[in-house]
Amino acid sequence: MGCFQSCISKHSTHSPLPTSYDTVPSASHNARDNVPSFSEFSLSDLISATNGFSSDNVVSESGGQAANVVYKGRLHNHNLRWIAVKRFPKSAWPNPKQFADEAWGVGNLRNHRVANLIGYCCDGDERLLVADYMPNNTLAKHLFHWENQTIEWSMRLRVALSIVEALAYCRSKGHSLYHDLNAYRVLFDQNGDPRLSCFGLIKNSRDGKSYSTNLAYAPPEYLRNGRVTPESVIFSFGTVLLDLLSGKHIPPSHALDMIKGRNIQLLMDSHLEGNFSTEEATVVVGLASQCLQYEPRERPKTKDLVTTLSTLQMKLDVPSHVMLGIPKHEDTPPTPQHPLSSFGDACSRLDLTAIHEILLMTHYRDDEGTNELSFQEWTQQMRDMLEARKRGDLAFRDKDFKTSIECYSQFIDGGSMVSPTVYARISLCFLFCDQPDAALRDAMQAQCVYPDWPTAFYMQSVALSKLNMTQDASDMLSEAAALEKKRQQGKGH
């Protein structure tokens, strides 16, 4: 696991934000999904996150004049966040300012129906977009290439509504065009909820085509003059409705012939085995037919699609992961392979009181060897630092965590001494103060000071759990347990 490249001594607080449907957060995080504000990433960050743009990290790729590749990655200095990185050739966006402007425009969008864009990088020949990674594959995978079970009918209706709600949100924020909307643009997050990829809000190149897939699925006006309008997006949504109905990627012209011939049963996905409402299916077929009208002005408005599809939602209390048949997003990390110590067990249970008691008992014994000071280095500044740490220790003992943060921060800011234990203690203080972001940062700083210290990893696992990053917390807990076992074996020799 990586840690921050430089040790941070200043501590800041983060306040939660409202998450109304139309609100674009202007502060640092979205409370619902803990989405960071849009920012520019360094190329080195993204190289590190993707293991040097390794082919093993490729999620998808497309060819053509503006070939681009999407990589899965993990940021080492942003709470170990999983990301998707879309990499363009320089020829796609030769003007860096135009690329940055496009990215910033989309980066201001924040909505739970969208896989949000969190950053970009424009460095030399590199043009990169950074979005939240969605771990549960695409709609295309679940519809066309499923392994264990197909998507049940109610979930298909939920997906349809989620897509059009995402389009409505984007339109309300001035982004009425979505390029090449198809089943591969619909992603499923860690809870199995459908989201629309933000990458479709930016073309693959400054002057490139809006439709890179088979032109049999492109709107007729695009074939006539190459133009894309908001109504073109509705046509594309109609093709996705056909996908949801049939479980296949049927060309619109063929599907419309079936609809006109009233062969709705032939259109429906046979893998549903008749487990759908004919009345609901008839409504969706009607919507698809309207969306696929030749004349753009005859296609329905986004808000009307939202209204109609909302009335078809019947399993509102059933989580998406259940309907998709994927594992539940756990609230606490599972037990790691290696047996846990008492401290590890307390961390796995998120028992802050027990963690506090153990950190008090272990005192500073793990700091031995991290500071080797000569007699000449015992300056007044050093004495002041140790006095600040002593005040922090007393406050920590008395569970006055705000005072502990202040005193320990004074010790850290002195800069002459480093203490992994202080970082672990201040991390716990932030957890007691309900600031898991700051807690994770300081636990990572403990790892910087003492790279193989199990306590640093255990504290990171607790902070990650508090941030609802369950899989990351589980991985960190297992890594801590493995380090602890290795340490114990070393002592036995």
Side-chain angles (χ1 to χ4, degrees):
M1 294 294 171
C3 62
F4 286 129
Q5 295 177 352
S6 61
C7 289
I8 301 168
S9 60
K10 305 287 184 186
H11 300 284
S12 60
T13 59
H14 304 281
S15 56
L17 294 166
T19 55
S20 64
Y21 181 79
D22 290 328
T23 300
V24 179
S26 57
S28 61
H29 287 80
N30 177 296
R32 178 188 173 101
D33 296 314
N34 194 35
V35 181
S37 56
F38 186 80
S39 63
E40 182 175 5
F41 286 90
S42 70
L43 182 57
S44 61
D45 277 346
L46 300 184
I47 290 174
S48 175
T50 59
N51 293 323
F53 298 111
S54 168
S55 59
D56 293 337
N57 287 41
V58 172
V59 176
S60 67
E61 54 188 320
S62 60
Q65 292 181 333
N68 60 84
V69 184
V70 178
Y71 298 85
K72 175 184 177 181
R74 197 177 197 185
L75 294 170
H76 295 308
N77 55 352
H78 289 72
N79 295 352
L80 303 176
R81 192 178 198 89
W82 287 103
I83 55 171
V85 181
K86 185 170 183 177
R87 191 183 194 189
F88 302 86
K90 180 185 176 182
S91 59
W93 293 91
N95 187 323
K97 185 178 184 304
Q98 287 180 335
F99 180 74
D101 289 345
E102 287 281 328
W104 275 101
V106 175
N108 284 327
L109 302 177
R110 286 291 180 271
N111 189 264
H112 64 286
R113 298 299 188 212
V114 178
N116 294 293
L117 190 69
I118 63 173
Y120 79 105
C121 175
C122 199
D123 186 332
D125 291 344
E126 294 290 350
R127 305 289 185 267
L128 302 141
L129 295 176
V130 184
D132 265 337
Y133 177 68
M134 300 290 113
N136 283 309
N137 288 309
T138 66
L139 176 61
K141 169 73 174 177
H142 287 280
L143 273 181
F144 311 141
H145 312 292
W146 54 274
E147 297 173 359
N148 298 319
Q149 68 177 66
T150 189
I151 307 180
E152 67 171 86
W153 176 245
S154 294
M155 186 62 191
R156 299 186 191 207
L157 295 176
R158 182 175 295 181
V159 169
L161 176 60
S162 295
I163 297 170
V164 80
E165 283 183 338
L167 293 173
Y169 167 76
C170 294
R171 187 184 181 107
S172 74
K173 298 301 177 183
H175 293 269
S176 57
L177 298 184
Y178 191 93
H179 305 283
D180 206 8
L181 175 61
N182 58 64
Y184 291 91
R185 299 283 201 186
V186 182
L187 314 170
F188 294 91
D189 66 17
Q190 68 271 20
N191 297 315
D193 291 325
R195 296 185 182 226
L196 189 62
S197 170
C198 60
F199 292 151
L201 293 163
I202 299 176
K203 287 200 296 185
N204 283 338
S205 66
R206 182 69 184 88
D207 302 311
K209 298 176 181 179
S210 292
Y211 286 84
S212 59
T213 54
N214 192 326
L215 291 180
Y217 302 90
E221 61 272 17
Y222 179 77
L223 298 176
R224 288 198 304 267
N225 54 34
R227 293 185 58 195
V228 177
T229 66
E231 290 74 27
S232 306
V233 181
I234 299 300
F235 184 94
S236 296
F237 177 67
T239 68
V240 178
L241 287 181
L242 291 180
D243 295 343
L244 290 166
L245 287 162
S246 67
K248 297 181 286 291
H249 202 32
I250 301 177
S253 57
H254 180 54
L256 285 173
D257 289 339
M258 296 175 70
I259 293 171
K260 290 175 183 176
R262 300 183 182 278
N263 293 324
I264 293 179
Q265 292 296 330
L266 289 178
L267 179 64
M268 297 301 296
D269 187 352
S270 60
H271 293 109
L272 288 170
E273 299 179 343
N275 293 316
F276 61 89
S277 161
T278 302
E279 291 79 6
E280 292 170 357
T282 301
V283 172
V284 178
V285 167
L287 289 179
S289 178
Q290 293 173 42
C291 292
L292 297 171
Q293 290 298 305
Y294 184 84
E295 291 296 335
R297 65 176 179 275
E298 295 178 2
R299 297 168 197 160
K301 303 294 184 185
T302 310
K303 63 179 182 180
D304 296 328
L305 291 168
V306 171
T307 300
T308 302
L309 287 167
S310 294
T311 64
L312 302 180
Q313 308 302 310
M314 296 299 173
K315 288 191 174 182
L316 300 177
D317 58 333
V318 180
S320 294
H321 72 85
V322 173
M323 289 198 276
L324 276 181
I326 61 176
K328 185 176 185 287
H329 177 60
E330 300 291 344
D331 293 327
T332 56
T335 303
Q337 294 179 347
H338 300 286
L340 293 172
S341 63
S342 58
F343 188 73
D345 178 64
C347 290
S348 72
R349 293 183 287 105
L350 309 183
D351 188 341
L352 301 187
T353 300
I355 295 171
H356 176 255
E357 291 175 356
I358 295 171
L359 286 179
L360 273 177
M361 287 190 297
T362 55
H363 200 55
Y364 285 91
R365 71 184 184 200
D366 286 329
D367 282 15
E368 294 176 7
T370 57
N371 291 283
E372 298 293 339
L373 301 171
S374 66
F375 178 77
Q376 289 79 9
E377 289 176 299
W378 283 97
T379 62
Q380 182 60 45
Q381 181 185 9
M382 294 293 300
R383 287 192 287 272
D384 290 343
M385 286 177 61
L386 290 172
E387 181 60 32
R389 192 182 78 173
K390 183 178 180 180
R391 292 197 305 273
D393 291 341
L394 291 172
F396 186 77
R397 182 198 65 188
D398 296 336
K399 298 185 179 182
D400 182 357
F401 299 115
K402 290 185 178 179
T403 300
S404 291
I405 291 171
E406 293 174 5
C407 296
Y408 285 146
S409 295
Q410 290 173 18
F411 172 82
I412 292 169
D413 290 345
S416 300
M417 295 179 67
V418 289
S419 166
T421 298
V422 166
Y423 279 119
R425 288 185 169 202
I426 200 171
S427 175
L428 181 62
C429 291
F430 277 121
L431 287 170
F432 271 111
C433 294
D434 197 25
Q435 296 180 46
D437 281 309
L440 179 60
R441 178 190 60 209
D442 283 300
M444 293 175 80
Q445 290 303 323
Q447 183 190 343
C448 284
V449 177
Y450 192 164
D452 295 325
W453 192 33
T455 298
F457 289 80
Y458 277 131
M459 292 306 300
Q460 288 179 58
S461 76
V462 178
L464 288 165
S465 290
K466 293 291 186 179
L467 288 165
N468 295 321
M469 299 172 71
T470 307
Q471 187 57 54
D472 297 316
S474 176
D475 293 344
M476 194 64 69
L477 192 70
S478 295
E479 195 160 350
L483 283 171
E484 198 162 44
K485 182 179 180 181
K486 182 178 178 182
R487 193 185 194 192
Q488 290 168 350
Q489 289 172 342
K491 289 180 179 179
H493 288 82

